[in-house]
Amino acid sequence: MNRTPVADLTDGQQIDQVFRAADKQLRVNRQGGKYILMRLSDKSGVIAAMMWNVDETMFESFQRGGYVHCHGRTQIHNGALQLIVTDIESIDESEVDVDDFERFDANESDRLMTRLGEILRGLRNAPLRQLAEVYLADENFVARFKKAAAAVSNHHAFPGGLLRHTVDMMELCQLVGPRYPQLDADLLTFGAFLHDLGKIEELSCDGEISYTDRGQLVGHIVIGVQMLGEKIADFEKNGEAFPAELRLHLEHMVVSHHGQIEFGSPKLPVMLESVTLHHIDNLDAKLWSYTAAIQTDVSGDGNWTNYTPSIGRKLWKKQS
């Protein structure tokens, strides 16, 4: 069946094709009528969708994460493209080409994991280099890291996104660290490696990306510190104690990387390396999400995107 990728959909397009139901919610409008708010996806992206005048039977007729055949029409609402669905039917996975919907790139993930290992094994700090080997020797950890997402939405919200975000940050640390001799470049780089590892447990990538119970109850920052403690315990099984002050510094890098209490950091960054890590993290996340806003914009203006509420501005999109 021919289909138009989500990323290529345009305003006013008639739709008769299959999507994956990334999310669904049954809601009630001001008049008491029920409607379904959905996120429909394929490997190219996600589009918001609405289906009006429904009941519980229609809502239960398809599963979150399952495949659905939709009829409808695209339209622009508040500057964003959405799909108004007029008919939806659940279909079996055997009826679709799964490659159209699989967002995980195994080859790219393997390449990034190799690069991550090169950076970690190139550190001059011996305890950090040895601790890195504890992580890399854990086959279950590596397998999950390679497929983990960095978010449900916003930046790097795709299987393999966490690894991409982490390696990009580590490479930035390798550039920034030597530029400022007052920084411990190895500590900064290892902090980039550690900072979001708790998302391996916080988010589930089995099917569509969603929060796990542990993620909702505990969160990736606390989970990341717990994981660090477990790996240090494994490190010390060889009879060598991990440096206590270095452990505190690593823990601080994890708990402060959001930069502000109101953004979820239990502590403000108070080390030069943790301040730097926060800004590198913010830079990579912002550039990724802003670029995505430009690439998916449906504005008729060739120079500017539509106003994007999540970032509070329009973006200049014309390429020189």
Side-chain angles (χ1 to χ4, degrees):
M1 178 187 297
N2 292 328
R3 60 182 312 279
T4 303
V6 167
D8 295 338
L9 295 175
T10 58
D11 182 32
Q13 186 173 346
Q14 292 289 343
I15 301 299
D16 177 11
Q17 66 182 51
V18 175
F19 298 92
R20 198 170 193 175
D23 193 16
K24 64 170 186 171
Q25 301 174 31
L26 184 63
R27 295 190 173 186
V28 179
N29 61 26
R30 295 178 181 177
Q31 291 73 42
K34 295 178 181 177
Y35 67 97
I36 303 174
L37 177 63
M38 294 170 276
R39 292 172 64 242
L40 302 177
S41 69
D42 61 18
K43 69 178 181 182
S44 73
V46 181
I47 185 171
M50 311 277 286
M51 187 172 187
W52 303 104
N53 302 316
V54 303
D55 55 24
E56 286 83 354
T57 300
M58 177 60 71
F59 180 74
E60 297 295 340
S61 68
F62 63 97
Q63 299 299 313
R64 184 179 288 106
Y67 297 98
V68 290
H69 189 158
C70 297
H71 292 84
R73 185 178 181 86
T74 57
Q75 66 176 35
I76 295 176
H77 177 68
N78 289 336
L81 193 68
Q82 68 175 15
L83 173 60
I84 302 301
V85 177
T86 56
D87 185 60
I88 189 168
E89 179 184 3
S90 176
I91 63 172
D92 189 81
E93 182 178 313
S94 62
E95 300 179 61
V96 305
D97 185 347
V98 177
D99 288 343
D100 288 340
F101 303 91
E102 179 55 67
R103 303 184 71 189
F104 176 63
D105 186 335
N107 291 331
E108 177 66 2
S109 189
D110 287 342
R111 184 191 71 79
L112 289 169
M113 184 56 70
T114 298
R115 177 61 181 142
L116 180 138
E118 291 172 351
I119 296 173
L120 291 176
R121 291 180 175 117
L123 299 177
R124 291 169 294 179
N125 183 299
L128 290 181
R129 200 169 57 246
Q130 293 161 13
L131 181 59
E133 290 296 344
V134 176
Y135 280 92
L136 296 174
D138 184 340
E139 294 181 358
N140 180 58
F141 164 78
V142 170
R144 297 182 67 191
F145 189 20
K146 289 167 70 171
K147 296 196 70 172
V152 172
S153 57
N154 300 323
H155 73 94
H156 300 87
F158 57 91
L162 177 59
L163 180 57
R164 172 65 186 271
H165 175 51
T166 301
V167 172
D168 284 350
M169 281 184 57
M170 292 171 70
E171 291 186 330
L172 284 172
C173 291
Q174 296 276 284
L175 294 172
V176 172
R179 177 64 181 82
Y180 298 92
Q182 65 269 43
L183 292 175
D184 182 333
D186 280 4
L187 177 61
L188 177 62
T189 301
F190 208 89
F193 167 61
L194 294 178
H195 84 288
D196 268 350
L197 289 185
K199 289 184 176 180
I200 295 172
E201 292 284 344
E202 182 182 47
L203 302 175
S204 171
C205 290
D206 294 331
E208 294 304 315
I209 301 167
S210 61
Y211 284 95
T212 64
D213 290 341
R214 189 181 181 193
Q216 294 275 29
L217 291 168
V218 181
H220 74 277
I221 289 178
V222 174
I223 295 171
V225 173
Q226 292 172 338
M227 292 172 65
L228 174 60
E230 293 166 0
K231 294 304 183 215
I232 289 177
D234 290 340
F235 172 99
E236 293 180 335
K237 288 178 181 178
N238 64 9
E240 180 182 355
F242 190 81
E245 185 176 84
L246 182 55
R247 175 175 184 162
L248 286 176
H249 290 171
L250 293 176
E251 290 173 339
H252 176 69
M253 299 287 278
V254 176
V255 302
S256 66
H257 76 268
H258 281 190
Q260 298 289 336
I261 301 296
E262 58 267 34
F263 296 156
S265 277
K267 299 295 290 185
L268 296 176
V270 296
M271 295 164 45
L272 293 180
E273 292 81 8
S274 59
V275 171
T276 306
L277 178 66
H278 162 63
H279 286 290
I280 289 175
D281 183 25
N282 196 42
L283 171 65
D284 189 60
K286 287 291 192 296
L287 282 178
W288 188 277
S289 58
Y290 284 25
T291 300
I294 292 171
Q295 292 175 340
T296 60
D297 180 67
V298 292
S299 169
D301 189 327
N303 293 337
W304 295 95
T305 68
N306 284 298
Y307 178 84
T308 304
S310 63
I311 60 178
R313 74 201 75 174
K314 294 182 176 183
L315 292 173
W316 175 260
K317 66 179 182 179
K318 187 175 181 180
Q319 300 298 309
S320 59

